Amino acid sequence: MQTFKLRSGEEIPAIGFGTWKLADGSEAVRSVQHALESGYRLIDTAAHYGNEASIGKAVNKAEFGRSEVWVTTKLWSDDLGYDSALEACDASLERLGLDYVDVYLIHWPANQRRRDAWKALVELKKTGKARHIGVSNFTPQHLEELKTVSEVVPEVNQIELHPFIYQEQKDIVEYCREHQIMVQSYSPLGSGELLDNKILEQIAASYNKTPAQVLIRWALHHETIPLPRSSNPQRIAENIDVFDFQLYEEDMRRLDTVNKTHRTVTDPHVIP
Ligand code: A2P
C-alpha cells in the first residue's frame, strides 16, 4: 500500500475505505471485512453515519493487529463545544469498541461552537484518545479562524473532491498544501453518478482501466487520500487496484478542467 506523509512525518495509507450510507449491521461488517481483505488499511466512519459499531466489529475481528489499521471517525455538529466534544469522542470509542481512534475530525464547521470543539480535539490528542486530529469540510476561512483558537494546526481536512468539483474546491486544496494539511477526498467517484462522463470514459479506455480507477488515480496524483465507498466486493477490490498505472499530465489537465459541476452535499463555502 502506497502511503503519504503527514506533517509529523508519520505515514498514512494513501487510500481509505469510505462507509457513508453503509447501514449498521451485517452488510457494513462484511463490507469492511472485504475492504480489509482487499488491502485497505484506513477505514473512515463518523458518529453521524450510525455505523461505528459495525466498523469496530470488523476491525476488531481482523487477524492483524490494531496498529496496522487506521480508523477515522468524526464529531457530529450537534456535539460541537468543549465538554460535548469530549463526551462524544468517548461515546464513539465505546461504540467502536476501541481505546483510541487514529484520526478524529470535526465533521462540519456548522457553527461557532467549532472553536471550543477544536480545543477539545487538541486535548483528545494529548490524552491519546485520538492519535491525529483534524477537520472536515473546512474552507480556508474556517481554517484561518482556528489559528485564533489554538496554535495546533489540523493534520487532515476531509472534503468532497473529484474532477467534477475540483475548480470549486481548489482554494481549499491549495491552502491545505501550503499549510501541510493532508486532504482526504470523500465522494472521489462523484457518488458514482458521473462515471459515464465521455471524457472520463475515453481516458479510462486509453489506459485499459475503469472510470472509477481513473478517478482514484486522479485523487492520488493530487496527493490527496481518496475514500471510495462501495458495498460490492468486486468494486471494493477494483477501487484499490490502482497502483500499476500513472495518468499523463495531459489527462490530469483534462480532468482538472472537465466542464461540469456536481456537488453531493452542501458547499462549505456558504457556512459563515
Ligand atoms: P456500490 O456500493 O453499489 O458499489 P463515492 O465513493 O464517490 O461516494 O461513490 C460511491 C458510489 O459509487 C456508490 O453508489 C457505489 O455503489 C458506486 N461505486 C463504487 N465503486 C464503483 C466502481 N468501481 N464502479 C462503479 N460504481 C462504483
Side-chain angles (χ1 to χ4, degrees), residues 18 20 22 27 162 186-193 195 210-213 216 227-232 234-236 238-239 264:
W20 182 38
L22 263 186
E27 197 194 15
H162 46 74
Y186 72 78
S187 300
L189 311 177
S191 298
E193 286 162 23
L195 294 172
T210 66
Q213 288 171 322
I216 290 165
L227 306 169
R229 292 182 293 125
S230 179
S231 50
N232 172 303
Q234 277 81 41
R235 292 201 278 265
I236 290 174
E238 174 187 323
N239 295 344
T264 308

Side-chain angles (χ1 to χ4, degrees), residues 39-143:
Y40 293 79
R41 288 294 179 270
L42 193 169
I43 310 294
D44 183 86
T45 181
H48 193 61
Y49 300 169
N51 59 15
E52 289 174 309
S54 302
I55 277 53
K57 204 183 233 175
V59 168
N60 281 320
K61 272 187 174 175
E63 280 171 11
F64 44 79
R66 166 72 183 93
S67 62
E68 283 179 50
V69 58
W70 288 60
V71 176
T72 297
T73 195
K74 313 186 192 81
L75 174 71
W76 184 239
S77 308
D78 292 347
D79 296 316
L80 291 179
Y82 189 81
D83 291 336
S84 45
L86 295 179
E87 282 163 24
C89 182
D90 282 341
S92 280
L93 289 173
E94 177 84 31
R95 284 188 294 270
L96 285 160
L98 299 175
D99 302 333
Y100 66 88
V101 282
D102 296 275
V103 185
Y104 197 51
L105 305 177
I106 296 180
H107 205 147
W108 280 92
N111 59 54
Q112 282 299 318
R113 283 180 292 133
R114 62 186 177 242
R115 300 165 60 92
D116 285 336
W118 183 244
K119 288 183 196 158
L121 263 64
V122 171
E123 183 60 23
L124 287 167
K125 182 167 171 163
K126 270 194 206 138
T127 58
K129 288 183 181 175
R131 288 206 309 122
H132 301 279
I133 53 172
V135 294
S136 181
N137 300 300
F138 273 49
T139 64
Q141 181 198 323
H142 303 126
L143 289 162

Side-chain angles (χ1 to χ4, degrees), residues 17-42:
F17 182 65
T19 66
W20 182 38
K21 292 192 179 168
L22 263 186
D24 209 23
S26 55
E27 197 194 15
V29 178
R30 257 198 321 274
S31 297
V32 175
Q33 283 175 325
H34 279 306
L36 294 171
E37 283 159 17
S38 305
Y40 293 79
R41 288 294 179 270
L42 193 169

